[in-house]
Amino acid sequence: MPTRAIQQLVPTLAVSEGAGVTVHRAIGTPALRNLDPFLMLDHFGSDDPDEYIAGFPEHPHRGFITFTYMLDGHMEHRDSMGNQGDLKSGGAQWMKAASGVIHSEMPRQSEGRMRGFQLWINLPASEKMAAPAYQEFAAAEIPEVADGDVRVRVLAGEHSGVLGAVRDPHTEVLYLDVGLAPGARFEQVLPVAHNAFIYVFEGDARVADTPLPTHTLAVLGTGDVVAMQAGASGTRFILVAGRPLHEPIVQYGPFVMNTREEIEQALADFRAGL
Ligand code: FE
Protein backbone atom coordinates (compact mmCIF):
# COMPACT_ATOMS: atom_id res chain seq x y z
CA MET A 1 0.00 0.00 0.00
CA PRO A 2 1.12 3.54 -0.66
CA THR A 3 2.04 6.19 1.84
CA ARG A 4 -0.80 8.62 2.47
CA ALA A 5 -0.45 11.92 0.59
CA ILE A 6 -2.23 15.20 1.32
CA GLN A 7 -5.63 15.15 -0.36
CA GLN A 8 -6.85 18.59 0.67
CA LEU A 9 -5.58 21.59 2.67
CA VAL A 10 -8.37 23.35 4.54
CA PRO A 11 -7.79 26.78 6.11
CA THR A 12 -9.66 27.55 9.34
CA LEU A 13 -12.61 29.89 9.58
CA ALA A 14 -12.95 32.19 12.61
CA VAL A 15 -16.33 31.61 14.27
CA SER A 16 -17.89 33.04 17.43
CA GLU A 17 -19.25 30.24 19.63
CA GLY A 18 -20.75 29.85 23.09
CA ALA A 19 -21.27 33.22 24.75
CA GLY A 20 -18.70 34.85 22.45
CA VAL A 21 -15.58 32.70 22.26
CA THR A 22 -13.48 32.96 19.12
CA VAL A 23 -12.73 29.54 17.66
CA HIS A 24 -10.94 28.55 14.45
CA ARG A 25 -13.04 25.93 12.69
CA ALA A 26 -11.33 23.45 10.40
CA ILE A 27 -14.04 20.77 10.00
CA GLY A 28 -17.68 21.83 9.74
CA THR A 29 -17.24 24.70 7.28
CA PRO A 30 -18.36 25.08 3.64
CA ALA A 31 -14.84 24.00 2.61
CA LEU A 32 -15.11 20.74 4.57
CA ARG A 33 -18.59 19.90 5.87
CA ASN A 34 -17.37 16.78 7.62
CA LEU A 35 -14.73 14.10 7.40
CA ASP A 36 -16.67 10.96 8.34
CA PRO A 37 -16.81 10.15 11.29
CA PHE A 38 -15.62 13.66 12.28
CA LEU A 39 -18.27 16.37 12.26
CA MET A 40 -16.37 19.36 13.57
CA LEU A 41 -12.90 20.45 14.65
CA ASP A 42 -12.47 23.74 16.47
CA HIS A 43 -9.09 25.07 17.51
CA PHE A 44 -9.18 27.67 20.24
CA GLY A 45 -6.05 29.58 21.13
CA SER A 46 -5.67 33.01 22.59
CA ASP A 47 -3.71 35.00 25.16
CA ASP A 48 -6.52 37.56 25.21
CA PRO A 49 -9.16 36.85 27.91
CA ASP A 50 -11.73 38.82 25.87
CA GLU A 51 -11.61 35.97 23.34
CA TYR A 52 -12.42 33.18 25.82
CA ILE A 53 -13.72 34.57 29.12
CA ALA A 54 -17.41 34.30 28.14
CA GLY A 55 -17.07 30.52 27.89
CA PHE A 56 -19.77 28.06 26.87
CA PRO A 57 -22.75 28.32 29.25
CA GLU A 58 -25.32 25.49 29.43
CA HIS A 59 -26.19 23.99 26.05
CA PRO A 60 -27.40 20.59 24.80
CA HIS A 61 -25.88 17.92 22.54
CA ARG A 62 -27.39 14.78 21.02
CA GLY A 63 -26.17 12.09 18.66
CA PHE A 64 -22.36 12.28 18.86
CA ILE A 65 -19.24 12.54 21.05
CA THR A 66 -17.35 15.70 21.99
CA PHE A 67 -13.61 15.23 22.50
CA THR A 68 -11.80 18.15 24.11
CA TYR A 69 -8.02 18.36 24.32
CA MET A 70 -6.65 21.14 26.46
CA LEU A 71 -3.17 22.31 25.45
CA ASP A 72 -3.00 25.29 27.80
CA GLY A 73 -5.44 26.68 30.30
CA HIS A 74 -8.10 25.61 32.77
CA MET A 75 -11.77 24.91 32.05
CA GLU A 76 -14.52 23.68 34.32
CA HIS A 77 -17.13 21.31 32.91
CA ARG A 78 -20.52 20.48 34.42
CA ASP A 79 -23.14 18.25 32.84
CA SER A 80 -26.57 16.73 33.30
CA MET A 81 -24.98 13.33 34.06
CA GLY A 82 -23.64 14.93 37.25
CA ASN A 83 -20.02 15.08 36.12
CA GLN A 84 -17.88 17.98 37.22
CA GLY A 85 -14.82 18.10 35.01
CA ASP A 86 -11.61 19.92 35.70
CA LEU A 87 -9.75 20.29 32.44
CA LYS A 88 -6.19 21.55 32.78
CA SER A 89 -3.22 21.85 30.45
CA GLY A 90 -2.50 18.54 28.75
CA GLY A 91 -5.77 16.90 29.83
CA ALA A 92 -8.48 15.34 27.66
CA GLN A 93 -12.21 14.81 27.93
CA TRP A 94 -14.37 12.35 25.93
CA MET A 95 -18.07 12.97 26.37
CA LYS A 96 -20.54 10.65 24.65
CA ALA A 97 -23.61 12.86 24.47
CA ALA A 98 -25.62 10.14 22.67
CA SER A 99 -29.31 10.48 23.71
CA GLY A 100 -28.64 13.86 25.27
CA VAL A 101 -26.44 15.87 27.58
CA ILE A 102 -26.70 19.46 28.72
CA HIS A 103 -23.36 20.86 29.77
CA SER A 104 -21.35 24.00 30.36
CA GLU A 105 -17.68 24.58 29.68
CA MET A 106 -16.41 27.68 31.48
CA PRO A 107 -12.92 29.15 31.88
CA ARG A 108 -11.38 28.97 35.36
CA GLN A 109 -8.81 31.62 34.54
CA SER A 110 -9.12 35.34 33.89
CA GLU A 111 -5.79 35.82 32.17
CA GLY A 112 -3.11 33.89 30.33
CA ARG A 113 -3.28 31.46 27.46
CA MET A 114 -6.23 29.24 26.66
CA ARG A 115 -5.46 26.79 23.87
CA GLY A 116 -6.83 23.47 22.69
CA PHE A 117 -9.13 21.57 20.39
CA GLN A 118 -12.67 20.33 20.37
CA LEU A 119 -13.48 17.49 18.00
CA TRP A 120 -16.99 16.16 17.36
CA ILE A 121 -17.04 12.44 16.58
CA ASN A 122 -20.21 11.03 15.06
CA LEU A 123 -21.95 7.98 16.53
CA PRO A 124 -23.44 5.13 14.50
CA ALA A 125 -27.26 5.17 14.26
CA SER A 126 -27.43 2.30 16.75
CA GLU A 127 -25.64 4.41 19.42
CA LYS A 128 -27.26 7.82 18.92
CA MET A 129 -29.96 7.20 21.54
CA ALA A 130 -27.77 5.15 23.89
CA ALA A 131 -27.03 6.34 27.43
CA PRO A 132 -24.48 9.15 27.73
CA ALA A 133 -20.97 8.35 29.00
CA TYR A 134 -17.94 10.28 30.15
CA GLN A 135 -14.15 9.85 30.32
CA GLU A 136 -11.70 12.45 31.56
CA PHE A 137 -7.94 12.21 31.94
CA ALA A 138 -5.44 14.61 33.49
CA ALA A 139 -2.15 15.28 31.70
CA ALA A 140 -0.21 12.77 33.83
CA GLU A 141 -2.65 9.98 32.90
CA ILE A 142 -2.04 10.31 29.16
CA PRO A 143 0.71 7.94 27.97
CA GLU A 144 3.67 9.57 26.32
CA VAL A 145 6.20 7.88 24.03
CA ALA A 146 9.46 9.84 23.87
CA ASP A 147 12.14 8.60 21.51
CA GLY A 148 14.97 11.05 20.78
CA ASP A 149 13.58 13.79 18.58
CA VAL A 150 10.02 12.46 18.61
CA ARG A 151 7.51 12.84 21.45
CA VAL A 152 4.04 11.38 21.09
CA ARG A 153 1.17 11.81 23.53
CA VAL A 154 -1.29 8.96 22.94
CA LEU A 155 -4.72 10.40 23.71
CA ALA A 156 -6.68 7.64 21.94
CA GLY A 157 -5.80 4.64 19.80
CA GLU A 158 -2.35 3.07 19.69
CA HIS A 159 1.16 4.21 18.87
CA SER A 160 4.30 1.99 19.08
CA GLY A 161 2.36 -0.59 21.05
CA VAL A 162 1.21 1.98 23.62
CA LEU A 163 -2.54 2.28 24.13
CA GLY A 164 -4.11 5.70 24.58
CA ALA A 165 -5.97 6.86 27.66
CA VAL A 166 -9.35 7.35 25.98
CA ARG A 167 -11.23 4.30 24.69
CA ASP A 168 -13.42 5.05 21.70
CA PRO A 169 -15.17 1.77 20.86
CA HIS A 170 -17.51 3.13 18.21
CA THR A 171 -15.23 4.47 15.48
CA GLU A 172 -11.81 3.34 16.81
CA VAL A 173 -10.48 6.87 16.98
CA LEU A 174 -6.74 7.47 16.95
CA TYR A 175 -5.75 10.82 18.46
CA LEU A 176 -2.05 11.65 18.81
CA ASP A 177 -0.29 14.87 19.81
CA VAL A 178 3.11 14.70 18.11
CA GLY A 179 6.11 16.95 18.76
CA LEU A 180 9.11 16.72 16.42
CA ALA A 181 12.54 18.35 16.79
CA PRO A 182 13.86 20.19 13.68
CA GLY A 183 14.22 17.75 10.77
CA ALA A 184 12.87 14.76 12.76
CA ARG A 185 10.74 12.12 11.04
CA PHE A 186 7.63 10.37 12.23
CA GLU A 187 5.59 7.48 10.86
CA GLN A 188 2.25 6.06 11.88
CA VAL A 189 0.42 3.07 10.47
CA LEU A 190 -3.27 3.78 9.85
CA PRO A 191 -6.06 1.38 8.89
CA VAL A 192 -6.58 1.75 5.14
CA ALA A 193 -10.33 2.35 5.41
CA HIS A 194 -10.04 5.05 8.10
CA ASN A 195 -10.26 8.76 7.33
CA ALA A 196 -7.44 10.82 8.79
CA PHE A 197 -6.21 14.37 9.15
CA ILE A 198 -3.28 16.35 10.49
CA TYR A 199 -3.47 19.79 12.05
CA VAL A 200 -0.15 21.57 12.61
CA PHE A 201 -0.34 24.06 15.47
CA GLU A 202 3.35 24.88 15.97
CA GLY A 203 6.28 25.16 13.57
CA ASP A 204 6.24 23.60 10.16
CA ALA A 205 6.19 20.12 8.70
CA ARG A 206 5.68 18.35 5.43
CA VAL A 207 4.13 15.14 4.19
CA ALA A 208 6.09 13.79 1.22
CA ASP A 209 6.82 17.02 -0.68
CA THR A 210 3.79 18.94 0.54
CA PRO A 211 4.49 21.64 3.16
CA LEU A 212 1.86 21.94 5.89
CA PRO A 213 1.25 25.50 7.05
CA THR A 214 0.26 26.01 10.69
CA HIS A 215 -3.42 26.32 11.54
CA THR A 216 -4.44 24.50 8.39
CA LEU A 217 -6.10 21.12 8.37
CA ALA A 218 -4.57 18.54 6.04
CA VAL A 219 -6.89 15.73 4.94
CA LEU A 220 -4.89 12.57 4.20
CA GLY A 221 -5.50 10.49 1.08
CA THR A 222 -5.61 6.69 0.98
CA GLY A 223 -2.77 4.44 2.07
CA ASP A 224 -1.70 2.51 5.12
CA VAL A 225 0.98 4.76 6.60
CA VAL A 226 1.59 8.46 7.03
CA ALA A 227 5.15 9.84 7.08
CA MET A 228 5.90 13.33 8.36
CA GLN A 229 9.05 15.38 8.52
CA ALA A 230 9.55 18.49 10.65
CA GLY A 231 10.90 21.68 9.14
CA ALA A 232 13.77 23.81 10.43
CA SER A 233 11.91 25.04 13.49
CA GLY A 234 10.47 21.68 14.55
CA THR A 235 6.75 21.10 14.72
CA ARG A 236 3.83 20.02 16.84
CA PHE A 237 0.61 18.65 15.38
CA ILE A 238 -2.34 16.41 16.07
CA LEU A 239 -2.90 13.32 13.94
CA VAL A 240 -6.45 12.00 14.12
CA ALA A 241 -8.05 9.04 12.33
CA GLY A 242 -11.30 7.10 12.61
CA ARG A 243 -13.52 4.54 10.91
CA PRO A 244 -16.10 6.21 8.66
CA LEU A 245 -19.74 5.37 9.36
CA HIS A 246 -21.16 5.90 5.83
CA GLU A 247 -24.54 6.90 7.28
CA PRO A 248 -26.70 9.92 6.48
CA ILE A 249 -25.90 13.01 8.55
CA VAL A 250 -28.62 15.52 9.43
CA GLN A 251 -27.33 18.29 11.67
CA TYR A 252 -29.13 21.12 13.39
CA GLY A 253 -26.68 23.02 15.58
CA PRO A 254 -25.75 20.79 18.55
CA PHE A 255 -27.95 17.87 17.39
CA VAL A 256 -26.61 15.40 14.82
CA MET A 257 -28.91 12.58 13.76
CA ASN A 258 -29.68 10.49 10.64
CA THR A 259 -33.06 11.92 9.62
CA ARG A 260 -35.02 15.18 9.82
CA GLU A 261 -37.65 13.50 11.95
CA GLU A 262 -35.00 12.59 14.53
CA ILE A 263 -33.86 16.24 14.60
CA GLU A 264 -37.43 17.42 15.15
CA GLN A 265 -37.70 14.89 18.00
CA ALA A 266 -34.40 16.18 19.50
CA LEU A 267 -35.75 19.77 19.45
CA ALA A 268 -39.08 18.70 20.96
CA ASP A 269 -37.32 16.68 23.69
CA PHE A 270 -34.99 19.57 24.49
CA ARG A 271 -37.90 22.04 24.73
CA ALA A 272 -39.74 19.59 26.99
CA GLY A 273 -36.66 19.39 29.22
CA LEU A 274 -36.00 15.69 28.54
FE1 FE B 1 -20.68 21.59 24.20
Side-chain angles (χ1 to χ4, degrees):
M1 276 301 286
T3 300
R4 288 186 181 232
I6 301 299
Q7 184 178 290
Q8 188 184 359
L9 286 172
V10 186
T12 59
L13 195 66
V15 179
S16 182
E17 272 294 341
V21 177
T22 305
V23 299
H24 302 275
R25 186 156 295 163
I27 299 176
T29 70
L32 185 63
R33 273 281 153 230
N34 59 72
L35 181 65
D36 192 7
F38 306 113
L39 301 164
M40 193 193 81
L41 178 73
D42 281 352
H43 175 50
F44 49 96
S46 181
D47 298 317
D48 177 4
D50 287 347
E51 291 198 344
Y52 61 74
I53 202 74
F56 303 88
E58 279 204 339
H59 59 277
H61 293 291
R62 176 181 277 184
F64 59 99
I65 291 160
T66 65
F67 190 121
T68 305
Y69 179 33
M70 204 71 177
L71 292 167
D72 301 288
H74 188 184
M75 291 267 262
E76 182 182 83
H77 161 102
R78 285 172 191 269
D79 68 40
S80 51
M81 289 177 266
N83 295 303
Q84 185 171 339
D86 197 29
L87 266 173
K88 292 180 180 165
S89 302
Q93 180 204 60
W94 180 98
M95 185 182 82
K96 180 181 177 182
S99 65
V101 164
I102 293 175
H103 75 153
S104 62
E105 304 151 285
M106 299 301 289
R108 286 294 305 272
Q109 64 188 58
S110 52
E111 55 182 22
R113 175 171 289 186
M114 175 78 80
R115 190 169 69 137
F117 294 96
Q118 189 170 89
L119 177 71
W120 287 10
I121 307 164
N122 205 5
L123 282 166
S126 59
E127 287 290 329
K128 283 183 178 290
M129 291 304 282
Y134 188 83
Q135 301 175 57
E136 183 183 313
F137 298 94
E141 299 172 299
I142 293 173
E144 193 167 301
V145 182
D147 183 11
D149 290 344
V150 180
R151 186 190 61 95
V152 182
R153 305 193 75 225
V154 190
L155 292 129
E158 187 182 336
H159 172 76
S160 284
V162 175
L163 275 180
V166 171
R167 296 293 139 82
D168 184 280
H170 309 298
T171 47
E172 300 141 59
V173 169
L174 170 83
Y175 196 128
L176 306 178
D177 167 1
V178 182
L180 300 180
R185 290 171 180 275
F186 166 83
E187 274 195 7
Q188 173 74 32
V189 172
L190 298 170
V192 175
H194 288 199
N195 285 328
F197 68 85
I198 288 165
Y199 185 99
V200 177
F201 57 94
E202 285 177 15
D204 59 286
R206 58 178 201 268
V207 169
D209 292 324
T210 310
L212 301 185
T214 49
H215 302 139
T216 300
L217 183 122
V219 179
L220 299 177
T222 53
D224 62 358
V225 64
V226 58
M228 302 277 297
Q229 184 169 14
S233 56
T235 187
R236 195 168 165 199
F237 58 88
I238 53 170
L239 166 62
V240 179
R243 181 173 57 79
L245 295 168
H246 304 298
E247 291 178 357
I249 297 169
V250 183
Q251 177 167 4
Y252 182 81
F255 308 119
V256 184
M257 303 300 287
N258 302 109
T259 68
R260 268 195 62 175
E261 291 69 30
E262 288 166 349
I263 290 293
E264 282 161 17
Q265 189 62 52
L267 283 163
D269 289 350
F270 177 56
R271 286 192 200 105
L274 297 178

